Amino acid sequence: MTFEGLNLIEPILKALKTEGYTEPTPIQAQSIPIVLEHHDLLGCAQTGTGKTAAFAIPILQLLNADPLPERGPRPIRALILTPTRELAIQIGESFQAYGRHTNLRAQVIFGGVSQKSQTDALRNGVDILIATPGRLIDLINQKYVHLKSLKMFVLDEADRMLDMGFIHDVRRVITQLPTKRQTLFFSATMPPEIQKLADTILKDPIKVAVTPVASTAEIIDQSVYFVEKKDKKALLIDMLNDRAIRSALVFARTKHGANKIVKDLVGAGIPAEAIHGNKSQNARQAALQGFKTGRLRVLVATDIAARGIDIDALSHVFNYELPNIPETYVHRIGRTGRAGASGVAISFCDSEERPYLRDIQKLIGKNIPVVTLHPYHSEGEVVHAAVAQKSKSQQTGQKRYRDEPSRSNTGFSPNGASRQSKNRFRSTTRSTTNTSSGKR
Ligand code: AMP
């Protein structure tokens, strides 16, 4: 499959060439024709599958062919609603990139920054608006945003909207939209409330799914370390002292926890920064930028702050604390192994977190390999004494972190060195299903 085979117009093909995209990802190959034929779409796909281009490319193509009104400023004809500013910025950049040879204008709006530049742009006319829910509602209320001419609506990461408590705002936005429109709905998971929302806002949608929700990419090398809470700090420091870990995103459950990890790491001479909701927008952007450019090797994040982090070079994800919602595990480790590259996901699990691990393994349908050969291994309280004995003897020898000595792709191998080209997607390892194309 090629982009040419998808009947895309020359200005878009040219832009994709500049981006270095040689072939569509599975979600793109399936979604683009559906959207170009004006159908509603229900896309089950998570970030990292190329879903942004799956909606951005056909939106650009359809709007490019859609005549503008003869008088007045350009009306907003496409709205993309997404949960976080980071995602909004990335989607905005994607529209800029793929639409660079069209005359279409895309604008991003999100909260936490002055609205002045956003409202200036809106006054000049915008074809495609990419927004987070709160700021969008503010600007609708202030009459800067008019949606009566809207033709296409994208709800991005619907399940995250629910997790983050935005579902009420999303419903409010939907009441503002013309009923005659094309709607594209994307969600990595389909909990009942999201399914209900999809049922109410989509008309005869065609469903496209890449990778079953619960699966975790096979190219991500997952492992779990049983370690008591008090030893997690020392284990993380030991592991991050391995320079083969080029870039690590460390997940904490709370903002306080994230700050504490940063303090511990910095205290041990490992530069690290935290991103979470208490940090200013500027501080978050600076940390993220530092991480993207490689200046900063270790970033510590809470789940909400990490949404939408799009870093192709991310080699390691650490779950310092396991999430209590199993889907969050899938989202977290999906930050690595992006765009066809390999990645390593390491989880620390203390005795209280064992039930979370069980839930995660149930969801992903497999057991995560346990690494026992490390100095802080703990089987839990019952066998604690025996393990303490074992750990002591291990500490005397050379530190080993794997239970499979011959395995080369360890959490400590210079994984990044073998990273594949950005254009190699997981189409060979991931299952792609078009569950209801028969409905077309
Ligand atoms: P997304 O799932 O939209 O966040 O995209 C994940 C990453 O894949 C982004 O960095 C995109 O720039 C990249 N990407 C999207 N489509 C393609 C493609 N067809 N070929 C190569 N890279 C792509």
Side-chain angles (χ1 to χ4, degrees), residues 3 19-25 28 46-53 90 94 98 310 312 338-339 422-425:
F3 282 111
E19 288 303 297
Y21 296 2
T22 48
E23 54 178 332
T25 68
Q28 292 162 6
Q46 58 194 64
T47 300
T49 54
K51 76 172 158 63
T52 312
Q90 278 156 30
S94 299
Y98 314 144
D310 179 23
D312 288 341
R338 301 286 291 272
K422 192 176 170 184
N423 289 342
R424 296 255 334 264
F425 269 79

Side-chain angles (χ1 to χ4, degrees), residues 23-27 29 49 210 219 339-340 423-432:
E23 54 178 332
T25 68
I27 186 89
T49 54
V210 290
I219 50 174
N423 289 342
R424 296 255 334 264
F425 269 79
R426 304 165 192 151
S427 44
T428 50
T429 53
R430 311 183 97 179
S431 71
T432 304

